[in-house]
Amino acid sequence: MKNCEDYSLLEIVRQKKHHQPDGRFKNPWLPYEAPKLAKIFKWKLSHLIVKENSRFPVFSLSPSLLCGENGPIISFLAHNTVFLRLSGKNFLFDPIFGNISGIIKRHTPPPLAPENLPPIDFIIYSHAHRDHLDLQSLRKIPGTPKIITPLNFSLYLGNSIVELDWLETYEESSLLIRAVPVQHWSKRNIGDTNLALWAGFIIETPEFKIFFGGDTGYFFGFKELGALFGPFDLALVPSGAYLPRELMAPFHLSPEEAVKVCQELGASLGTPIHWGAYKLGDEALDDPPKLFKKQALKQGVKPLIIYPGEVVFLSNGRPVFLTS
């Protein structure tokens, strides 16, 4: 009988080894399903008085910059919130604009209020943690967006959404959205650990292909994802909340690992995300982009560092910053 580590990622997904009999999900190649909450609470309690002194630019964003072209236009709005305009459609990833659940402080102002965004066509959620699925922000987003999620988000959002299992796709005209495996977990309320799936996403048109990593630790699957679906014009790869490594490593990439992921995906450009708003790890808020850029230049990966509120137009693969 084969152990899970003997299967390819494709075999794991096809045989639904990430599904459990009780309806929950797992990373079938890991020996545990989620971090030990006692360890998290102990670490959090030891950091109650830690202050954040990072200083980096946060640009006040003019909404008109987001719709000046058909795209690709990218704007990093801090943490995991990213605006993408592609083929005339507006996408928003993991939108959150305030404190986490009204409790965990946001250290930097959002580059713009969610009400001031252009009408959004698609909202894509990577998982149900409260710093990614923020219901208060969702209510304020303009337009009538189609919401794309991993499986079982109907627990939190009702049935008017598109739920995808790993490697399932949603297609509309020349647009393809594919959910892909990443290594993370899910919890939002007491008793709902891993009742909803987690995923990264590939957004693809005939002209452009982007990888959105959601939230993930490093695992063997990135190399296979690159072989199956790469190369990519741009990879948005989480790079923050990575310290202390003994606690964070299974579920959060370090900046150095994020660069390795870009290499394995075959990404022409790599952008670090999951930083710049919340103090969720021991590192400084602006360490992820600095360390990502340093490692990328060492490894021959082209870094595209976008500070909160900056807007980038990709002209034939060449980044043009529209903010000054």
Side-chain angles (χ1 to χ4, degrees):
M1 182 175 179
K2 292 168 71 176
N3 295 321
C4 196
E5 57 266 24
D6 297 325
Y7 289 85
S8 71
L9 190 65
L10 201 55
E11 288 175 312
I12 287 171
V13 173
R14 284 175 174 171
Q15 297 182 32
K16 296 192 180 298
K17 291 184 175 293
H18 55 300
H19 291 239
Q20 301 198 76
D22 64 356
R24 297 177 191 264
F25 301 94
K26 64 179 181 178
N27 302 291
W29 50 86
L30 284 185
Y32 44 85
E33 298 173 19
K36 299 294 184 183
L37 291 182
K39 291 183 178 180
I40 295 176
F41 289 139
K42 182 179 179 180
W43 168 70
K44 286 287 187 184
L45 286 172
S46 70
H47 287 68
L48 286 178
I49 61 172
V50 174
K51 294 184 178 180
E52 176 58 46
N53 296 312
S54 300
R55 295 289 182 269
F56 54 90
V58 176
F59 292 78
S60 181
L61 176 54
S62 171
S64 62
L65 291 178
L66 301 176
C67 295
E69 305 279 350
N70 275 337
I73 290 175
I74 310 287
S75 184
F76 176 55
L77 304 180
H79 198 50
N80 239 43
T81 305
V82 179
F83 174 90
L84 167 69
R85 182 165 172 83
L86 186 60
S87 297
K89 300 289 187 181
N90 296 329
F91 298 78
L92 199 60
F93 297 90
D94 285 355
I96 181 169
F97 293 86
N99 296 336
I100 300 172
S101 296
I103 299 173
I104 298 176
K105 177 185 175 182
R106 185 176 179 120
H107 289 270
T108 56
L112 82 172
E115 300 92 336
N116 293 332
L117 286 162
I120 300 299
D121 299 292
F122 295 94
I123 295 175
I124 296 177
Y125 287 111
S126 62
H127 64 292
H129 284 155
R130 290 175 180 264
D131 58 317
H132 295 257
L133 172 58
D134 182 64
L135 299 180
Q136 186 175 0
S137 294
L138 175 60
R139 297 185 191 105
K140 297 177 180 179
I141 293 168
T144 54
K146 187 176 293 293
I147 299 175
I148 312 289
T149 74
L151 291 181
N152 281 11
F153 264 62
S154 56
L155 290 170
Y156 312 113
L157 297 178
N159 295 318
S160 58
I161 59 176
V162 176
E163 297 180 322
L164 299 177
D165 200 351
W166 287 348
L167 300 189
E168 287 185 341
T169 61
Y170 171 82
E171 297 185 51
E172 182 178 301
S173 186
S174 60
L175 169 71
L176 184 145
I177 300 173
R178 186 188 309 274
V180 295
V182 294
Q183 183 170 290
H184 206 58
W185 64 295
S186 177
K187 186 177 182 65
R188 191 171 180 82
N189 304 306
I190 295 174
D192 70 345
T193 301
N194 293 349
L195 279 177
L197 187 59
W198 47 94
F201 286 89
I202 296 169
I203 316 298
E204 184 175 355
T205 68
E207 297 81 26
F208 198 80
K209 190 189 300 183
I210 184 170
F211 179 88
F212 171 69
D215 215 351
T216 182
Y218 180 79
F219 79 121
F220 70 95
F222 290 114
K223 186 175 292 186
E224 192 168 339
L225 291 174
L228 288 170
F229 304 115
F232 295 90
D233 297 288
L234 174 66
L236 304 171
V237 186
S239 309
Y242 61 91
L243 292 178
R245 292 309 287 153
E246 61 269 20
L247 182 63
M248 301 296 193
F251 301 107
H252 285 162
L253 295 168
S254 69
E256 292 80 8
E257 288 174 328
V259 170
K260 183 178 180 181
V261 168
C262 291
Q263 290 177 302
E264 294 185 346
L265 292 172
S268 297
L269 293 168
T271 294
I273 58 173
H274 203 261
W275 66 274
Y278 309 105
K279 184 69 173 175
L280 300 180
D282 282 349
E283 75 278 0
L285 282 185
D286 59 345
D287 277 352
K290 292 177 181 177
L291 296 177
F292 181 96
K293 181 177 182 179
K294 181 179 179 180
Q295 181 71 6
L297 293 175
K298 282 183 180 178
Q299 298 299 324
V301 172
K302 292 182 180 178
L304 175 56
I305 307 301
I306 308 175
Y307 281 89
E310 287 191 302
V311 182
V312 180
F313 172 53
L314 292 175
S315 175
N316 297 317
R318 183 175 62 88
V320 177
F321 283 78
L322 303 181
T323 40
S324 56

